[in-house]
Amino acid sequence: MLAANSVVLIASIGMTLVFLIGGIDLSISTVISASAVISGLAMAATDSIFIGVLTAIGVGFSFGLINGILIGFFGLTPFITTMATQLIARGIAFVLSQGIAVQGTPYGLMDFGFLSFLGVPAVTWIGLAIVIICIILLTQTQWGRHLMLIGSNRNAARFSGINVRFTEISVYCLSGLLAGIAGFISISNLGNAIPGVGDTLLLLVIGAVVLGGTTMNGGEGSIARTVLGIGLLSVLISGLNLIGIPFYDQLIIQGVLIFIGTWLAMKLSARRH
Amino acid sequence: MKSTLNSIISKQKWLPIALANMVFAALLAIVSPVFLTLSNFQSMLIQSGVTAIMAIGMTFIIITAGIDISMGAILFFCSALFAQLLQDTQSYWLAFSAAIACATLLGTINGVLVTRFKISPLITTLATYSIYRGMAIHLTGAQNIPVPREMGFLGNGKLFGLPVPIILLIVIFILGVYLLNHTRLGLYAKAIGSSARSANESNLPVTKVTVAVYAIGGMVTGISALILLARVGGLQSGIGIGIEFTVIAAVILGGTKLTGGSGTIVGSVFGAFFLVLIDNGLNLVNASPYIYDIVRGSVLLAAVAVDRLSAKRQESRLIQIKKQRLEHNHATN
Amino acid sequence: MLNDNNTPLLSFRGLTKSFSGKTVVNGVSFDLYPGQVVGLIGENGAGKSTTKNMLCGLLEPTAGKIFVNGQLVEKNEGHVHGISAVHQELSLFGALTVAENMCIGQLPGSATKINWKKVEEIAQEQLDFLGIEIDTSATVESLGAGKQQIVEIGKALLHADKVLILDEPTTSLTAVEREKLFVLIDKLSTRGIAIIFISHFLEEIYRVCDHYIVLRDGTQVDSGLLANVPQRKLEEMMVGRTIDNANVQHSQPHGGEALRVEQLSSADFKDVSFNVKQGEILGIAGLMGAGRTEVAEAIFGLRPSTGSVYINGVKTENRTVDSMKQLSACYLPEDRRTNGLFLNRPVRENLSAAAIYRFIKQGITKLGFAGESHVSQKIVNDMGIAIPHIEVRVDALSGGNQQKVLLSRWMATEPKLFILDEPTKGVDIGAKFDIHTKIINLAKNGAAIVIVSSDLPELLNVSQRILVMRRGKMVGEFQREAFDSVKIISLAASSNDKGEGR
């Protein structure tokens, strides 16, 4: 459970950062798939986990870079741009894998999937480490401050001498990179690289972010809130599983929760100010 | 000459996609002899019907600066409800009317939520997407349900020598064009998308119109659902997944902007045609079906990039005009 | 509608409006007869907009009575009584055509069939009536600001054609467009429409109005026939003090040349050249749309231009806001909500946005913002920014405090050159005085300051030299000894080029 969550968790961190700068990255879901597939193929060819990790990160980063350049440099709309790269990434994942799970992942990877420390799976530790690194990046560095300010008011950022382009491109790169890591972790969770692994995650990822109260307008929200949103969602899901609620009813409850959560977060934010 | 062409294109935003359709079709005709046959054209039209009909509804929503991510889920819900009701009651009329009514209702709920809670349409319909899909599976218990063979009439049958889906598309197209261009609803929808503030200040029925466009989106999705169900031959779990993105792609290819205010039905229908044309072309060269997504994504990117470039050129032309005017002013002073 | 000239079209008695106990308008009374053009004048925050909103039915008065044709109106609903208003922010739809915009409130035909022919006719008739040639099938966004204004007036008059309220209608117009608007107002008045013209440009008031109402701090100072009062008297009534007494202790410019601009040209201005010395306050006067903001933005690389800019005698290349910051120059944009402030972020972050490195003491990790709060708090105290604490979101602040935050942000970069664009727009009198004092002190400490302002009294008060810009060109220069508001205004607004004052 926790292990599966770290895929969503890592992807949601990327989405949170993109939301905070006032954008959206719909491609996260299928970039997870694409990097899983390509990484799986690379590992099948070389039998090296290290190369697999590098490949996954590289693929994710490349997609992020493409998104970032199109949005930050050429000024295309984030929604359409990432919708298009979402399609492209999915296509690549399916073409390269011929639509089936990639075989031949190294044995060591399964061991890694079962590895745990202090009773907590290693992948969860990785997720936590990424959370902490990103929180530091966002709240303790100038880059993070610039990100928040651009999300709050892009024009004012430009008029204050903040490098809007660089920050914007880099945030999409980071979001892609995190999707790449999430893709790799999905292989270690499932034992295989599945071409459709990320497709259904988009709802969960955006759901977790908005449930945490980070709005799409930019400049308002935090990673900690997203972690809270994920916590809420996963407690809910495991609770519902426990009492035997079928997955389709869980979908209904999730939808309602996302809606009510967003609404409450909006009300609370309005009241605070 | 060039400037008149530019002004025509800037007013008739569907022209570029129409031209793209023609050029690409001509190209395919040269490459493949099969392409130019009547049956191929008919099958392409039928193929594009589902997306095109939904794109007409989506155009209204996007014109008000909204979006409906839940369309695929409405499509699925509607198919499930229809298949289930038909299996249980054997009554076509009941199943038909219930399915269409329900689709309209689900669209209306989207509209009410968007206007009442003021949460962005994207998030709102993302939430209802999850809810509607869950409800649909709940309804059928995650079963695949076949529909009777005679349902095929709606998908492949002919009326007055024309395939039924094409007739439906034509009817909805005409209604859509009329609604957008000749009724208050259409004008108000454009006004709301152009400036929500001005719409409120001018006392336009913003809530009513917004709810109405989402309801229209739901209703046409219901019709599309039945056509698709008839063509597929039964309810399958994957129906409608991701179709909202194809529909949005069709609308955007048709020259409608996500920022709202303007857009054309013709453009969206041509956009849907174009997507099918691409599929057809890939099919003719025996490409892997998995490549379709890559090509679609690239086409979409190319379309918005071209649009962006032409907007930039327009901008620099305006600056040039301004400069000339300034020179002129100083010369006369 | 029959209307003898003895009954006022609209009259109001003792109009008063309070918001949560604070009275913003107190006892405004006037009788408005057909064909009259009344100037409603006062400084920013004097209560003009609130009065307007009560008259057009957007706000319900706390006290006072409104009569239309001598009949007491219980609940004023503006257009129902023939009163319409054109607000500063136009309520037009950019993507719709001129005809659609004008008729959208009352579309001819049924809900399911709009009579487009009739729509065209109505719009064309209205435009003919206004005597302006605009293509009714053009989209509004393709029109210039002046024509948009006319479309809005036409739209307003379609719904209510007895009393027209125009709120600062000239702010975004070019000089030619302004003149066209004035001709139109004259024409409407001869047809018996009563007009309330809100402005703080007295020249405009004298040009179009016959009566006046002066507001100051929410109360009606005076009203009457415009022909009976000289402009100086009106100004004094607006400001509440004798203007000549406004006295500022300037220091002498005491250094080298801080900024020199040579032959700067772009789409909005041409061959602009000027310089500022260290310790000098230079005002740039001109009408809205004269290209002043564009010049400032070009100096900071925010829009493309040709020509040269020298900072402290050194020529600059590839200017950006950041590179100018390195050269100790800063620019405070005109529209602080759109281009200046991070509205949903706290005051602290807004203060440090341009110079975070001056706020923090970084340890070896180079992480965190230790010291930021401390420095921000100090700035807030020094600048007299009235807020409960530095974590308050900036959108909760008053206009004056917001402007002080913006000024402080840039003062924190310790610049030697300030370009301030409309530094006191929408700012209350107290904060305005504070900001002026700050500016003068900055100059005394050796900073070079350029103030772009549409508020001429402000420029006359603060600056040592005034440049006048008109339609993208520098057209005049005045030294402090030769300041003359009438000359400056006429130079800024005239349509011929005499090069007065050079």
Side-chain angles (χ1 to χ4, degrees), chain A residues 145 149 152 156 160, chain C residues 340-354 359 372 390 392-395 405-406 408-410:
Chain A
R145 176 62 66 81
L149 294 180
S152 170
S160 301
Chain C
L341 296 166
F342 303 101
L343 290 170
N344 62 4
R345 303 303 304 168
V347 169
R348 170 179 50 84
E349 291 182 10
N350 270 281
L351 287 172
S352 66
F359 282 67
E372 188 192 9
I390 54 171
V392 175
R393 275 167 48 148
V394 153
D395 53 7
V405 167
L406 194 56
S408 312
R409 175 194 299 168
W410 285 108

Side-chain angles (χ1 to χ4, degrees), chain A residues 4 37 47 68 73 77 83 107 112 116 126 132 135 137 171 182-183 213 260-261:
Chain A
V37 165
D47 206 39
F73 196 78
T77 327
M83 190 175 112
Y107 278 111
F112 172 72
S116 72
I126 295 177
I132 290 167
I135 288 182
L137 271 179
V171 87
I260 294 177

Side-chain angles (χ1 to χ4, degrees), chain A residues 136 138-142 145-146 148-153 155-162 218-221 269 273, chain C residues 297 302 321-322 325 331 333 337-345 348-349 352-353 356 367-369 372 393 409-410:
Chain A
I136 290 174
L138 184 64
T139 62
Q140 305 296 317
T141 69
Q142 282 197 37
R145 176 62 66 81
H146 287 171
M148 288 300 246
L149 294 180
I150 293 168
S152 170
N153 187 343
N155 274 336
R158 207 165 68 92
F159 276 79
S160 301
I162 290 172
E220 257 188 302
S269 152
H273 305 287
Chain C
E297 288 184 1
L302 289 159
V321 174
D322 197 42
K325 191 158 54 179
Y331 170 54
R337 294 183 72 85
T338 322
N339 294 331
L341 296 166
F342 303 101
L343 290 170
N344 62 4
R345 303 303 304 168
R348 170 179 50 84
E349 291 182 10
S352 66
I356 186 82
L367 291 174
F369 300 100
E372 188 192 9
R393 275 167 48 148
R409 175 194 299 168
W410 285 108

Side-chain angles (χ1 to χ4, degrees), chain A residues 74 83 90 248-249 251 263, chain B residues 117 130 134 138 245 293 308:
Chain A
F74 291 107
M83 190 175 112
R90 183 167 69 188
Y248 40 82
D249 288 340
L251 276 179
W263 185 68
Chain B
F117 293 95
S130 178
H138 183 106
F245 289 117
D293 276 338
R308 175 80 197 153

